[in-house]
Amino acid sequence: MILSPARWRRPRTDWLRSIATALVALIAWEALARALAGTYLIAGPLEIASYLSDHAGLILRATGWTALAAAGGYVIGNLTAIALAAVAILIPGAARLISSLALIVFCLPLVATGPILRVLWGPGLGPQVTLAALAVYFTTFLPLQVGLRAAPPNWFDLVRSYGRGGWTALVEVRAMAALPYLIAGLQIAAPAAFLGALVGEFTGAERGMGVLTIRAMRSLDVAGTWSLATIAAAVSMLAHAGIGWLWRRLDDAPPPLILASLPDARTDRRWATRLNLILVVLVVIALWWLSMEFAGLNRFFAKRPDDIWAFLVTASGAADHRTTLFAALGQTLSLALPGYALGLALGLGLAIALLMLPALARAIMPLAVALRAIPIVITAPLVVVAMGRGATGTITITAVMTFFPTFIACYQGLKRTPAALIDLFESYAATRWERLTLVQFPAMLPAFFSAARMAVPAAILATTTAEWLATGHGIGGLMALTASTSDYGMLWSSVVLLALVAVAAYAAIERIERAVLRRYGAEQLVR
Amino acid sequence: MLVERGSDIGPGITCEGLSRIFGTGAARIDALAPTDLQLDGGRTTAFVGPSGCGKSTLLRLIAGLDPPSAGRVRIGAETPLEMRRRAGLSVAFQDAALLPWRSVRGNIALARKLARMTPDPAKVDDLIATVGLAGFEDRRPADLSGGMRQRAAIARCLATDPQLLLLDEPFGAVDELTRARLNQELPALWQARGVTAVMITHSISEAVRIADRVVVLSPRPARVVADIAVPLPHPREKGPALDALIEEVGAALARHAPAPPPARIAS
Ligand SMILES: Nc1ncnc2c1ncn2[C@@H]1O[C@H](COP(=O)(O)OP(=O)(O)OP(=O)(O)O)[C@@H](O)[C@H]1O
Ligand SMILES: [Mg+2]
């Protein structure tokens, strides 16, 4: 069921094994750095340590500013997510609209949104906080959406049998049932907020780690870049682990978390879907327009929907604009798609491999969970430098960004197969392969698909960041160009286009997910 | 008058042409055939019938937790919804429906909270003792066995002093001895106060022991196939009168048993 009484404790030997693995990794890292000394690629742990002690004051202050922005965005983003999820439950008619709007905002490309936020907010913390909030709210909203519905119908019948309605059910049943999901969301959100704040600082903040990172990269300061990446990783891992620790202090086992998309309501008709689509488009356009008008923002940099239309369709240079934009999009997608697919395949493959080799898994998993928290994107320029400015570097960074969440979701999904089913297979002395293909794989599918969906914006973020900071190709490169030439029409058009692509990709995966899950009936394992 | 009753007697229940069909087309399941029923106030009625015949469905319709496909339910002069709004009824669900994050005590107290009644810790602890859960007040449902959970659910039902009790196999997972004891003690709690009770059970002897009337349902879709009054005073001891009734209910059930699959003899 939802809460199990067993306390979650890892045996001491597992800790030792993890520490040993970490030590081996550190030594390998140092050895690699020494072997490649002179190529300006990798800084080893010792070099990083000496850099950090030399620049302790500077880095500490910068980390403080970034952490402040991240914390602000974290609070705002998560409160927004909680409020949205509660409204979607209390007003069932609004649920679809809210989910769709939430998804669209989630799909806004951070790299392209950043520069726009910078001109809207001006200097200061505004863009960093906003981007941090944007980076976290969906990863909290989605688990909450599932968690608030993750109670058996009988619990609601109990509330109804005393004549009480939706609000009482929300307070007495749903809120508590959703708590584990909320915590899991909050945990994932912590590193995401840090990453959002960093990207916000790339867009021209005065201080913070993002500023130092850009500076270090521009001057090819290898030790500096690696030191900053290490600090960012450490902060993210600490935040992730801290929330996990708090949760275990508070209550029981980490919850079985499967973020399957909510099953189609049987009453859902074609026309209802279309109506919703039209409604969503209208609401988005209206919100966009009204917010700009009410804030009295200058049309020169705060473009309205009709400006974009004119820019891409009716204005004199529209055809040229379209050519430029779609060429850039084509370039970006030609790298994002292979990277994304590679990340998914590797994540799935390694998860299955580790399931077959439990001893190795016990050593690697804690590290992998920790590594997931690292804002990999900030190493993008280094990776690109290392792999060359061609396609390989960008594809690699995209694959790595997709790989971690997929791998962890798949592994946890495989491990979460109901114990009774495993017992059943054991009782027939089934082989590991039979167990994998007949039970564990179907049981893992919901987790795999939810990871695949959530990774879409992450993959786009990785590709565009690499393009922006390193290669200068594709939409990311276009971004850098337009931001410096104040070509706001192009900037806004890129945001709209990338968001549309991400929403379409997300929806397409959701379709496949529903079809596959219906066939495997795996959603019954979720309930 | 067979039982001594309190001054205010619970409401009677009237079902008129009540039926329930789940799904449509190929997925259509007729759970309850159109049924007319009149259950007297202050009495305990037991429903027995084969598994999957529609007993739980009937109970949910009476509680108004499910909309009927046709027909209507009246509890006294009220609709089920009105009855629920004033916390006049309690349901013991087939699977206990305890909230896993609340203790036994917390789960039972929750009923009074949901019913907008003042907290009454003494009453809650009394009920816990009555159902034999003393010492487990602060345990969570996960620490209890299936039967213990069911007993906690019954205690929760009684915590709000309802006028109508709807019990769905309340003792289904309780061992034979405890069951016999609960059969003696619990019905006395509500029958003495004139509460109307509807109980679903798979145990014929339990039905005959507790109820004033036993209604036998057919395999799905449920229809009433026998309606047997139990005109014996409480508490009921084992004896020929009880045995005869058990025989009668058993025979009615057997007459309408689902057709067995064709016999196959291994060669
Ligand atoms: N929500 C539902 N949707 C579809 N079919 C349902 C639903 N609830 C019950 N049914 C069907 O209605 C029939 C009667 O179910 P019900 O739960 O009332 O049986 P029951 O008599 O209580 O059985 P048992 O003694 O095993 O508890 C079953 O065939 C069941 O499949
Ligand atoms: Mg039933």
Side-chain angles (χ1 to χ4, degrees):
Chain A
M1 271 280 254
I2 294 193
L3 298 175
S4 100
R7 296 234 153 216
W8 189 74
R9 287 259 187 289
R10 287 211 285 128
R12 175 154 298 172
T13 51
D14 279 3
W15 283 111
L16 289 177
R17 224 185 297 236
S18 303
I19 291 170
T21 320
L23 273 180
V24 170
L26 276 180
I27 292 168
W29 179 6
E30 181 70 40
L32 190 67
R34 289 186 179 229
L36 293 178
T39 56
Y40 296 102
L41 285 184
I42 298 182
L46 296 178
E47 203 182 342
I48 290 176
S50 92
Y51 185 96
L52 287 180
S53 74
D54 288 350
H55 301 84
L58 180 69
I59 290 188
L60 206 62
R61 275 195 304 279
T63 311
W65 281 110
T66 308
L68 183 68
Y74 184 78
V75 171
I76 296 172
N78 284 315
L79 286 181
T80 311
I82 293 170
L84 281 182
V87 172
I89 282 285
L90 287 176
I91 313 172
R96 279 190 77 145
L97 182 61
I98 290 178
S99 308
S100 307
L101 290 178
L103 174 64
I104 290 172
V105 178
F106 176 60
C107 285
L108 286 180
L110 293 186
V111 162
T113 315
I116 290 179
L117 288 172
R118 181 56 67 189
V119 291
L120 295 185
W121 278 98
L125 287 180
Q128 292 92 298
V129 174
T130 314
L131 278 194
L134 285 180
V136 303
Y137 87 97
F138 198 71
T139 48
T140 303
F141 175 72
L142 200 68
L144 261 187
Q145 280 269 76
V146 178
L148 286 170
R149 292 177 169 81
N154 259 353
W155 297 358
F156 301 113
D157 286 343
L158 174 72
V159 173
R160 288 169 61 213
S161 75
Y162 290 105
R164 306 298 291 272
W167 177 254
T168 309
L170 180 64
V171 172
E172 293 292 345
V173 177
R174 294 191 197 271
M176 286 301 288
L179 198 57
Y181 293 80
L182 174 64
I183 305 283
L186 292 180
Q187 208 177 3
I188 299 172
F194 205 75
L195 176 61
L198 274 177
V199 175
E201 286 169 353
F202 289 169
T203 61
E206 299 91 51
R207 43 181 93 81
M209 288 189 67
V211 179
L212 295 188
T213 308
I214 292 256
R215 220 180 278 159
M217 274 167 353
R218 294 254 156 88
S219 56
L220 281 181
D221 177 358
V222 176
T225 309
W226 278 92
S227 302
L228 290 164
T230 308
I231 292 291
V235 172
S236 300
M237 273 158 42
L238 271 181
H240 187 271
I243 293 168
W245 176 81
L246 258 184
W247 169 233
R248 284 196 295 279
R249 284 281 312 255
L250 277 178
D251 206 355
D252 311 301
L257 244 196
I258 302 179
L259 306 179
S261 59
L262 302 168
D264 266 328
R266 281 258 161 254
T267 50
D268 252 20
R269 305 244 170 68
R270 262 250 159 82
W271 61 263
T273 315
R274 290 207 183 128
L275 205 67
N276 182 63
L277 192 66
I278 294 169
L279 191 66
V280 168
V281 171
L282 289 180
V283 169
V284 166
I285 289 179
L287 283 180
W288 178 358
W289 211 316
L290 290 176
S291 61
M292 300 278 141
E293 291 297 331
F294 273 109
L297 293 171
N298 187 338
R299 260 201 131 99
F300 173 63
F301 57 80
K303 298 293 179 195
R304 317 293 201 261
D306 59 326
D307 296 330
I308 304 304
W309 181 259
F311 183 81
L312 288 178
V313 183
T314 54
S316 55
D320 288 343
H321 298 158
R322 282 201 306 270
T323 318
T324 313
L325 189 58
F326 281 105
L329 179 70
Q331 249 176 358
T332 298
L333 290 185
S334 72
L335 301 179
L337 276 178
Y340 173 75
L342 191 64
L344 286 187
L346 285 178
L348 182 59
L350 188 65
I352 291 176
L354 282 194
L355 185 77
M356 295 298 190
L357 304 167
L360 191 61
R362 271 198 297 278
I364 287 185
M365 274 320 284
L367 271 188
V369 169
L371 285 178
R372 171 176 62 170
I374 298 177
I376 294 158
V377 159
I378 77 167
T379 63
L382 290 174
V383 174
V384 171
V385 170
M387 313 292 279
R389 282 182 189 260
T392 330
T394 311
I395 291 181
T396 306
I397 200 76
T398 308
V400 171
M401 191 80 175
T402 313
F403 162 79
F404 270 104
T406 311
F407 165 58
I408 290 175
C410 288
Y411 186 73
Q412 289 173 346
L414 287 167
K415 294 294 273 186
R416 219 165 18 227
T417 311
L421 283 181
I422 296 287
D423 287 350
L424 175 72
F425 272 64
E426 290 291 309
S427 73
Y428 291 114
T431 63
R432 263 197 255 179
W433 177 249
E434 285 170 325
R435 205 167 66 191
L436 174 70
T437 51
L438 293 175
V439 197
Q440 290 170 315
F441 192 76
M444 177 219 62
L445 284 173
F448 170 76
F449 278 112
S450 76
R453 270 184 288 131
M454 304 285 282
V456 168
I460 290 180
L461 172 67
T463 310
T464 49
T465 306
E467 289 173 341
W468 187 27
L469 296 180
T471 67
H473 298 153
I475 296 250
L478 194 61
M479 251 28 345
L481 193 69
T482 53
S484 60
T485 58
S486 303
D487 186 356
Y488 291 110
M490 188 60 88
L491 197 57
W492 281 85
S493 303
S494 316
V495 171
V496 172
L497 193 61
L498 269 189
L500 283 181
V501 168
V503 170
Y506 189 102
I509 295 169
E510 200 165 39
R511 276 228 153 153
I512 301 174
E513 173 180 13
R514 290 206 165 123
V516 172
L517 291 194
R518 202 171 305 133
R519 173 149 154 54
Y520 272 97
E523 75 271 15
Q524 287 170 8
L525 291 167
V526 180
R527 300 283 117 189
Chain B
M1 183 129 338
L2 300 165
V3 199
E4 201 175 327
R5 303 220 192 127
S7 54
D8 52 356
I9 288 176
I13 299 173
T14 315
C15 304
E16 290 169 4
L18 192 65
S19 75
R20 183 68 168 108
I21 297 162
F22 292 107
T24 51
R28 173 179 161 137
I29 295 176
D30 290 47
L32 184 68
T35 303
D36 294 304
L37 265 176
Q38 175 74 48
L39 307 181
D40 291 342
R43 301 287 186 164
T44 299
T45 308
F47 284 86
V48 295
S51 175
C53 76
K55 303 180 296 295
S56 296
T57 303
L58 173 61
L59 202 77
R60 292 172 55 80
L61 291 175
I62 294 176
L65 294 174
D66 230 6
S69 301
R72 61 172 208 159
V73 177
R74 281 282 172 280
I75 302 173
E78 292 170 300
T79 63
L81 180 64
E82 287 159 349
M83 189 76 176
R84 281 188 282 132
R85 286 243 167 94
R86 62 179 186 85
L89 63 82
S90 279
V91 186
F93 295 94
Q94 194 165 356
D95 68 353
L98 301 173
L99 301 185
W101 51 83
R102 282 177 172 262
S103 64
V104 168
R105 193 183 264 141
N107 265 292
I108 297 172
L110 176 67
R112 289 188 70 85
K113 185 172 175 196
L114 289 176
R116 300 174 200 268
M117 294 170 151
T118 51
D120 189 345
K123 183 187 185 86
V124 169
D125 284 355
D126 262 6
L127 282 169
I128 291 176
T130 309
V131 296
L133 287 178
F136 287 88
E137 291 89 347
D138 296 317
R139 293 307 186 90
R140 303 243 183 125
D143 297 344
L144 307 183
S145 72
M148 291 162 90
R149 281 180 220 164
Q150 282 192 324
R151 284 184 272 152
I154 295 170
R156 179 175 63 193
C157 270
L158 296 173
T160 52
D161 297 317
Q163 293 173 305
L164 171 59
L165 268 177
L166 300 171
L167 309 167
D168 196 346
E169 291 178 43
F171 309 118
V174 179
D175 73 276
E176 196 71 33
L177 273 177
T178 312
R179 192 167 181 151
R181 186 177 67 74
L182 292 175
N183 282 179
Q184 290 290 353
E185 294 175 9
L186 283 184
L189 285 183
W190 72 73
Q191 284 167 341
R193 293 193 3 256
V195 172
T196 309
V198 176
M199 183 175 82
I200 292 171
T201 175
H202 279 298
S203 159
I204 301 174
S205 64
E206 180 174 275
V208 170
R209 203 153 226 218
I210 295 178
D212 304 305
R213 176 180 170 191
V214 179
V215 177
V216 180
L217 298 176
S218 70
R220 193 173 60 79
R223 278 173 302 106
V224 176
V225 291
D227 195 338
I228 298 158
V230 186
L232 302 172
H234 287 284
R236 295 175 184 155
E237 299 299 335
K238 279 207 182 77
L242 216 55
D243 288 344
L245 280 161
I246 291 174
E247 193 87 354
E248 190 180 346
V249 174
L253 262 178
R255 264 200 306 282
H256 296 274
R264 257 186 254 151
I265 295 157
S267 52

